[in-house]
Amino acid sequence: MGSHKLMDWDMDDEPFVLIGMHSTIEPYRMAYFINKHLKVSFKRQDRDQDITLKGYVAQFPVYHYKDNDENASIYLVPNHCRAQIKSTASAGGLFQVNQMEQIKTTLIKEYRTVDYFLKIEKDPEAFPLKKMLSELNEIPPVISVYPTDIAVIKNKDYLIFE
């Protein structure tokens, strides 16, 4: 049986808004504060965002909220996490010892200084972005909030959370 190939076929990307946030608190506390101040209900997904990198797998916790009023899915994900990498060391004898070393890794390398991302799966023109930015800025542990430029991100696949 012959095979069929689709040439020059691009799927239309779903429009989304990506908000960068700076804060020093843990992801579960950030979700709590956003829930409290914005009157939403972020819940941690059962599966983390697993990113396979050089010799290790980084697991980023993902929090999800479905906004029925705006018909938008909103995701909260930290940009940094600690991953464990195996390293083999010689103990000076016949046997090698496997050691676990912790490293800090980043989800979106183009925005290394950003601590959290809010991904809003909705057309930017149809979502009240300024209102959300001002509400997020009022949260005490949040240092700053701003929309990011999606065009500079090389690995947009890292932002697919479903």
Side-chain angles (χ1 to χ4, degrees), residues 60-75:
F60 296 89
V62 178
Y63 296 84
H64 178 252
Y65 168 67
K66 177 69 175 167
D67 187 354
N68 292 325
D69 295 337
E70 294 293 332
N71 194 23
S73 285
I74 304 175
Y75 296 93

Side-chain angles (χ1 to χ4, degrees), residues 45-59:
Q45 289 188 331
D46 294 333
R47 287 185 23 192
D48 290 341
Q49 181 74 352
D50 296 338
I51 306 295
T52 304
L53 299 167
K54 299 173 189 167
Y56 62 94
V57 176
Q59 296 178 327

